[in-house]
Amino acid sequence: MSWVDLVTNPQGLREIFPEGPPSLSGVSLYGLVVEREGPTLRLRLDLPAYPADPPARWLRAGFNTVQVELLFGGVSELRLVGISTEVIADLEIRAARGVSLEVRSAPMVVSALAASVTVSEVVAYVDGGREADR
């Protein structure tokens, strides 16, 4: 079972990445927000790879990076150790009493247990520090 199989709304990711679920190794973590409603945990991250056959509008715009926001709902456990402004991390999402999240990087480690995970946003943009894959 891949991490996308645990997402409540996997259709968008499956359309953008029909070749298989995008890797969560070497993601660039842009944001981590904890909200009391739910309670929820939002992770905003850049995926390390660009889709092989991106949507036509992404091609026309010259986008080279996919950013995903994951919303973990019904968070019952959360642990954060360390912090940094530049976090390249490996994420693991698996089934365990709901959904388990592990974020591992040299400066920061996050672990959480939630009832569910949802993709709340998928966008593409031009990252000037990255070479275009296409």
Side-chain angles (χ1 to χ4, degrees):
M1 173 181 293
S2 82
W3 72 271
V4 173
D5 296 324
L6 300 174
V7 173
T8 60
N9 59 340
Q11 306 86 340
L13 284 175
R14 288 190 174 133
E15 288 174 14
I16 295 168
F17 294 96
E19 64 275 10
S23 172
L24 295 180
S25 293
V27 303
S28 180
L29 184 61
Y30 269 84
L32 182 149
V33 177
V34 179
E35 299 170 334
R36 71 180 185 179
E37 295 300 319
T40 59
L41 169 65
R42 289 181 184 274
L43 288 182
R44 181 169 289 278
L45 50 101
D46 283 357
L47 296 176
Y50 198 69
D53 188 21
R57 68 183 184 280
W58 291 7
L59 281 174
R60 284 191 304 273
F63 295 150
N64 63 357
T65 305
V66 176
Q67 189 171 88
V68 176
E69 184 178 81
L70 299 174
L71 175 67
F72 293 84
V75 175
S76 58
E77 296 177 21
L78 176 62
R79 185 166 188 247
L80 169 65
V81 177
I83 195 159
S84 177
T85 58
E86 296 287 328
V87 177
I88 304 298
D90 295 332
L91 273 68
E92 183 180 356
I93 299 171
R94 60 184 177 356
R97 295 185 305 149
V99 178
S100 168
L101 167 69
E102 295 288 330
V103 178
R104 290 180 300 282
S105 71
M108 188 168 101
V109 176
V110 178
S111 61
L113 186 61
S116 64
V117 59
T118 303
V119 175
S120 56
E121 187 174 37
V122 178
V123 297
Y125 72 99
V126 176
D127 181 343
R130 239 186 223 195
E131 300 233 354
D133 289 340
R134 303 193 133 258

